[in-house]
Amino acid sequence: MTIDDTLAASASGGGNGAPIWSAATLPWRLAEIAAAGALAGVLMILLWLTPRPDLPIAVTDSFFWIKAAYPAAVGACALAAATWLARGCRGGVAMLAVAGALACAMLLAAAIQASTLTPAAAAILLWPGGATCLGDILVIAAPMLVLTVAGLRDVDLPRPAPTGFACGLFCGGVAATVDGLHCWQGTYAFVGPWFTLAMLASGGLGAGAIKLLARRRRFLAAE
């Protein structure tokens, strides 16, 4: 079933309605996956990664909420972008641009703060803690990515790679938001580069996986 068929069936109310995964149902499926993924991420932190030891005090600090709001806002933009890209709307690229603007603002704040640090202090912030943070976010995002890619495997997307990137970015944004319960770092110089890189990596994985599935589907259809 193509995107046009899906939207036509949904609009007309004919047949059995839209399938579970389609352009029409994509935002609801992503929201469900985000809820399940966030819960799974919290359980990972409680049972494996461990919550940050200063969590009761950290929640009173404004930067704790900035660190949560940044990936949450990127994820919200990615959700809108994925929905519009899947439906062939022009606004999808614009929403990815908004997410990029948020990332640029955070990276600018990180660069300004890093410029005030000594090389030794900057090195402590960026390595090896940064690599660990990147891995933690991707681990939390992985189940959401797998479910999203599996759900979209039979959906004929007009722009598979950008849509996959937006879906992966959304999963990464949810994962980074949840990771704030574990990550104790409280500086722009740390959160800016590593949270952004983790979300971009998640987006890249989503783009690659859905693009490969689209090529496979077209190859099989041509046989």
Side-chain angles (χ1 to χ4, degrees):
M1 176 174 284
T2 66
I3 291 294
D4 291 337
D5 293 336
T6 295
L7 292 176
S10 177
S12 64
N16 295 322
I20 294 176
W21 279 90
S22 67
T25 62
L26 181 59
W28 311 113
R29 298 292 83 80
L30 289 178
E32 291 167 356
I33 284 177
L39 177 59
V42 171
L43 291 176
M44 285 184 197
I45 291 172
L46 291 176
L47 302 177
W48 174 36
L49 298 174
T50 69
R52 55 185 294 177
D54 64 339
L55 186 58
I57 299 174
V59 296
T60 64
D61 182 17
S62 60
F63 190 79
F64 176 87
W65 300 105
I66 293 174
K67 186 167 70 171
Y70 167 54
V74 170
C77 292
L79 175 60
T83 301
W84 290 342
L85 285 167
R87 297 176 181 178
C89 300
R90 297 179 180 177
V93 175
M95 290 310 299
L96 286 179
V98 174
L102 292 173
C104 288
M106 178 61 76
L107 290 173
L108 178 61
I112 293 172
Q113 189 176 59
S115 67
T116 66
L117 302 175
T118 65
I124 292 173
L125 281 177
L126 298 179
W127 192 265
T132 302
C133 175
L134 173 65
D136 291 342
I137 292 173
L138 290 179
V139 166
I140 295 172
M144 292 181 279
L145 272 171
V146 170
L147 289 173
T148 301
V149 171
L152 290 173
R153 69 187 183 279
D154 294 324
V155 179
D156 186 13
L157 298 168
R159 303 180 68 180
T163 305
F165 177 79
C167 290
L169 189 66
F170 172 70
C171 295
V174 174
T177 303
V178 173
D179 188 59
L181 299 174
H182 163 70
C183 175
W184 58 270
Q185 295 282 359
T187 61
Y188 290 102
F190 182 91
V191 172
W194 289 109
F195 274 45
T196 302
L197 183 59
M199 290 187 286
L200 287 175
S202 180
L205 290 171
I210 292 180
K211 181 66 175 179
L212 286 175
L213 287 175
R215 288 181 177 177
R216 175 181 176 274
R217 187 168 56 252
R218 290 167 185 167
F219 175 78
L220 294 176
E223 289 186 340

